[in-house]
């Protein structure tokens, strides 16, 4: 009995050591909602007009202005007494209750995550000038309204991510006004106040309306994320599933790590993603994910011709190797948002825009879709990129909407595009890469030609389990006629029209039940 048991243990140990390094990895990735999630971002004020707007008018006292939904945002003028621009006080009247009525739109698109720009109590429309993090701005609702929205979203399979602005507050915040006026204020040491600072306090990047918080004070961090009833932890209990951190690099590595750990203690599996425009590798040791501006620059650089396609592919490969695939799968792939001109304004040429969006949805990460991008909304720099949602453009005959739905469906239907590894494809003239998993037939090959000329080239795909003679079919349908691609001996020839992109899927031919893939996964 002992000898048989010993033999069994030895065999089990040998089997364990023979398991490939990736065993279990992809299944674990699939169970984590953060990997490859499609994120839909909204500004609550601009998403859906309130059903009870007249009753809310008193919530917009002068110099605030409540604009009609049909009006587009325009640049304002500096208001010295407010220490901000008048455009920051233009409102359109959306709230959490109205946003909840259009969750069906987000669900039907196929999004997985609803990301809300700041909703806490603040004076401006953008709310990056917090008065009180624990309260909601009354024009949006209250904490109970947020709980209802989060519950409605959860019933639709949507996660909710909030915007945390923990580097600074607003100058008119009661705690700052008391701290500024009273040297003995309990809030005095929450800020850096003194005559050495212009305006009397240390502010964020020169904006007098945004005094910085002194995070070195433990009381500040206890209030924001450490205590059980802190901002971060209490909203997670109320139904939030994660936090996007504004100007996250300002918090530094130690405090980012401390905040992330506090969020995970409160809600295991929650997401903390940082707005960090730096190269991400070291930052991803302190936080779950970043808004991947490095990848954005590579994509747009390739599309514009500023970066040679093969160089862009090598840059992406280096980024993945440095940062690691696991945190990059959780990182948001951003092309436009509330701080960046809308994609239809950045890239008015349809073919170029389609190429960029195809890369956004096939490279490693979680594609970030800014409200209105799916219907072709336009808008330049802030405030023009923050216009009210164009619900009149949500029509079945809108080609932008059909295209974005197709991209989301592609991303979600193909395992490798959501949670697969990245591998460079050898090419001289094209941006080519492979997304692959532990199953050979999960492999998806992406090839982009951002140049103005047709390119014909033989590409090498270093995937040992893609069998000789495997035909490849295009999943996007942007190239007509559909290309005929035959894979063999690790390479194939492809001809790519200018500004085109292919997403290829191996489709083995069955010959009377015979398959070359019968003994490989």
């Amino acid at each position: 009995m002992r000898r048989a048991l010993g033999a069994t243990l030895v065999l089990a140990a040998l089997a364990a050591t023979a398991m490939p390094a990736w065993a279990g990895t992809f299944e674990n990735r699939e169970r984590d909602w953060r990997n490859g999630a499609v994120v839909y971002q909204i500004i609550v004020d601009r998403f859906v007009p309130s059903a009870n707007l007249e009753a809310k008018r008193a919530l917009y006292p002068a110099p605030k202005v409540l604009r009609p939904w049909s009006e587009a945002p325009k640049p304002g003028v500096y208001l010295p007494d407010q220490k901000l621009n008048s455009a920051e006080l233009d409102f359109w009247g959306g709230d959490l209750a109205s946003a909840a009525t259009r969750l069906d739109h987000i669900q039907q698109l196929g999004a997985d995550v609803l990301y809300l720009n700041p909703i806490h109590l603040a004076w401006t429309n953008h709310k990056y000038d917090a008065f009180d993090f624990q309260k909601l701005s009354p024009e949006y609702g209250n904490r109970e309204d947020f709980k209802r929205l989060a519950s409605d979203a959860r019933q639709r399979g949507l996660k909710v991510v909030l915007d945390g602005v923990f580097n600074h507050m607003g100058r008119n915040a009661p705690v700052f006004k008391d701290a500024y006026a009273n040297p003995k204020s309990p809030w005095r040491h929450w800020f850096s106040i003194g005559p050495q600072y212009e305006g009397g306090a240390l502010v964020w990047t020169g904006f007098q309306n945004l005094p910085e918080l002194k995070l070195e004070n433990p009381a500040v961090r206890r209030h924001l994320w450490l205590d059980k009833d802190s901002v971060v932890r209490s909203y997670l209990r109320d139904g939030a599933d994660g936090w996007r951190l504004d100007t996250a690099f300002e918090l530094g590595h130690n405090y980012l790590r401390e905040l992330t750990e506090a969020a995970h203690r409160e809600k295991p599996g929650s997401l903390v993603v940082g707005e960090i425009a730096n190269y991400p590798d070291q930052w991803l040791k302190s936080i779950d994910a970043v808004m991947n501006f490095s990848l954005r620059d590579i994509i747009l650089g390739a599309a514009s011709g500023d970066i040679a396609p093969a160089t862009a592919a090598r840059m992406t490969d280096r980024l993945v190797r440095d940062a690691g695939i696991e945190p990059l799968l959780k990182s948001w792939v951003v092309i436009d948002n509330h701080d960046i001109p809308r994609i239809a304004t950045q890239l008015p040429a349809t073919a170029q825009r389609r190429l960029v969006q195809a890369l956004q949805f096939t490279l490693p990460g979680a594609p970030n879709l800014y409200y209105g991008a799916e219907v072709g909304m336009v808008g330049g720099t802030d405030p023009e990129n923050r216009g009210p949602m164009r619900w009149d453009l949500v029509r079945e005959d809108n080609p932008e909407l059909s295209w974005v739905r197709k991209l989301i469906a592609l991303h979600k239907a193909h395992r490798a595009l959501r949670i697969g590894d990245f591998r460079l494809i050898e090419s001289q003239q094209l941006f080519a890469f492979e997304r692959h998993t532990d199953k050979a037939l999960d492999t998806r090959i992406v090839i982009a030609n951002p140049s103005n000329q047709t390119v014909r080239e033989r590409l090498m795909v270093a995937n040992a389990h893609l069998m000789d003679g495997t035909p490849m079919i295009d999943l996007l349908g942007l190239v007509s006629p559909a290309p005929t691609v035959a894979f063999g001996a690790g390479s194939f020839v492809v001809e790519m029209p200018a500004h085109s992109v292919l997403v290829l899927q191996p489709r083995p031919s069955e010959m009377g039940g015979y398959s070359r893939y019968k003994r490989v996964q």
Side-chain angles (χ1 to χ4, degrees):
M1 182 71 176
R2 270 185 208 159
R3 187 175 301 162
L5 179 59
T8 301
L9 292 173
V10 168
L11 287 172
L14 288 171
T17 57
M19 290 282 282
W22 41 254
T25 299
F26 298 102
E27 289 79 3
N28 291 337
R29 289 179 189 172
E30 285 185 290
R31 285 191 286 269
D32 191 335
W33 67 268
R34 301 170 297 179
N35 290 324
V38 177
V39 181
Y40 190 88
Q41 174 187 356
I42 70 169
I43 299 173
V44 173
D45 181 63
R46 314 292 165 88
F47 190 52
V48 184
S50 174
N52 198 17
L53 193 57
E54 288 304 316
K56 291 173 53 181
R57 284 193 178 275
L59 300 175
Y60 306 93
K64 296 181 179 183
V65 178
L66 187 58
R67 303 285 183 184
W69 202 260
S70 58
E71 186 175 332
K74 298 179 181 64
V77 297
Y78 186 70
L79 303 176
D81 61 321
Q82 297 285 321
K83 292 184 170 56
L84 47 75
N85 190 286
S86 63
E88 298 176 73
L89 300 178
D90 287 340
F91 291 80
W92 272 258
D95 51 38
L96 291 175
S98 64
T101 66
R102 291 292 186 145
L103 291 178
D104 58 338
H105 172 73
I106 301 169
Q107 181 186 22
Q108 288 163 14
L109 278 176
D112 304 296
V113 178
L114 171 62
Y115 156 44
L116 307 176
N117 275 90
I119 60 174
H120 51 241
L121 181 60
W123 180 243
T124 63
N125 52 39
H126 54 71
K127 309 208 176 299
Y128 287 99
D129 59 328
F131 279 16
D132 188 332
F133 294 110
Q134 291 283 19
K135 295 179 180 178
L136 264 64
S137 280
E139 66 269 24
Y140 283 2
N142 54 41
R143 290 287 285 258
E144 291 304 312
D145 292 313
F146 171 71
K147 290 179 183 178
R148 279 190 288 272
L149 176 71
S151 176
D152 289 350
R154 184 167 55 253
Q155 291 173 25
R156 295 175 180 271
L158 293 168
K159 302 292 185 179
V160 177
V161 172
L162 294 178
D163 206 327
V165 190
F166 302 141
N167 178 69
H168 48 264
M169 294 186 72
R171 179 169 284 270
N172 290 315
V175 293
F176 177 76
K177 291 171 73 173
D178 186 69
Y180 190 79
N182 179 11
K184 295 185 179 180
S185 166
W187 322 113
R188 183 76 171 191
H189 297 294
W190 282 41
F191 306 92
S192 299
I193 296 171
Q196 68 272 37
Y197 304 111
E198 182 183 353
L202 180 63
V203 299
W204 181 68
T205 64
F207 289 98
Q208 289 299 316
N209 188 43
L210 302 175
E212 288 207 326
L213 284 160
K214 190 185 291 184
L215 297 178
E216 289 72 18
N217 181 347
V220 176
R221 304 200 311 281
R222 286 196 297 270
H223 174 73
L224 292 176
W225 62 75
L226 285 175
D227 284 354
K228 182 176 179 60
D229 292 325
S230 64
V231 178
V232 167
R233 297 179 62 183
S234 64
Y235 276 99
L236 289 174
R237 286 198 301 278
D238 282 355
D241 299 286
W243 287 90
R244 175 264 191 192
L245 302 182
D246 183 59
T247 62
F249 60 92
E250 302 270 8
L251 276 64
H253 290 284
N254 291 339
Y255 296 150
L256 283 177
R257 188 177 299 111
E258 185 180 77
L259 187 158
T260 302
E261 290 171 353
H264 290 174
R265 283 196 302 274
E266 183 62 47
K267 181 173 279 190
S270 56
L271 173 69
V272 181
V273 57
E275 182 192 31
I276 300 174
N278 307 11
Y279 193 69
D281 61 336
Q282 297 302 309
W283 294 97
L284 289 168
K285 298 176 182 178
S286 307
I287 195 169
D288 294 326
V290 297
M291 299 174 69
N292 200 340
F293 292 106
S294 295
L295 188 56
R296 176 182 185 269
D297 283 355
I298 293 169
I299 294 170
L300 293 178
S304 68
D306 288 343
I307 304 174
T311 302
R314 289 196 303 273
M315 286 179 169
T316 306
D317 182 57
R318 172 67 185 271
L319 175 65
V320 174
R321 285 188 286 111
D322 286 351
I325 188 66
E326 297 290 347
L328 285 187
L329 289 173
K330 299 172 181 63
S331 293
W332 293 1
V333 186
V334 178
I335 301 298
D336 62 347
N337 67 11
H338 60 288
D339 289 327
I340 303 169
R342 287 187 171 275
I343 186 171
T345 299
Q346 292 181 62
L347 303 166
T350 301
Q352 189 182 46
R353 188 168 66 253
R354 296 277 190 270
L355 184 145
V356 165
Q357 291 173 306
L359 291 174
Q360 181 188 20
F361 278 81
T362 56
L363 284 163
N368 190 118
L369 190 66
Y370 186 40
Y371 77 96
E374 74 274 23
V375 294
M377 281 180 63
V378 297
T381 56
D382 176 23
E384 295 170 358
N385 57 349
R386 302 181 183 186
M389 175 66 179
R390 292 284 307 276
W391 291 106
D392 58 306
L393 297 178
V394 181
R395 305 188 311 264
E396 292 304 312
D397 62 348
N398 185 331
E400 291 295 319
L401 182 58
S402 299
W403 166 247
V404 171
R405 283 174 175 167
K406 183 174 187 175
L407 281 178
I408 293 174
L410 174 80
H411 179 84
K412 296 186 72 170
H414 297 271
R415 184 171 180 250
L417 298 181
R418 287 183 289 108
I419 53 95
D421 287 339
F422 174 94
R423 184 158 49 214
L424 186 69
I425 290 177
E426 293 296 332
S427 169
Q428 287 293 322
Q429 303 175 74
L430 300 168
F431 188 160
F433 59 91
E434 179 190 355
R435 300 294 306 281
H436 63 97
T437 71
D438 52 342
K439 296 179 173 62
L441 294 177
D442 278 352
T443 300
R444 300 295 177 263
I445 291 170
V446 182
I447 311 164
N449 176 17
S451 75
N452 295 319
Q453 300 176 1
T454 297
V455 171
R456 179 180 171 84
E457 188 176 10
R458 179 171 289 277
L459 308 180
M460 189 186 86
V461 182
N463 188 326
H465 288 152
L466 282 181
M467 297 293 179
D468 180 65
T470 299
M472 299 278 177
I473 61 167
D474 177 35
L475 298 172
L476 272 187
L478 293 180
V479 177
S480 182
T484 300
V485 177
F487 186 83
S491 71
F492 62 90
V493 175
V494 67
E495 184 170 298
M496 298 286 295
H499 305 297
S500 66
V501 59
L502 294 172
V503 178
L504 299 177
Q505 173 182 353
R507 182 67 60 86
S509 53
E510 298 291 335
M511 295 171 278
Y514 167 80
S515 170
R516 289 175 175 167
Y517 289 88
K518 60 182 175 290
R519 293 190 182 95
V520 299
Q521 283 193 317

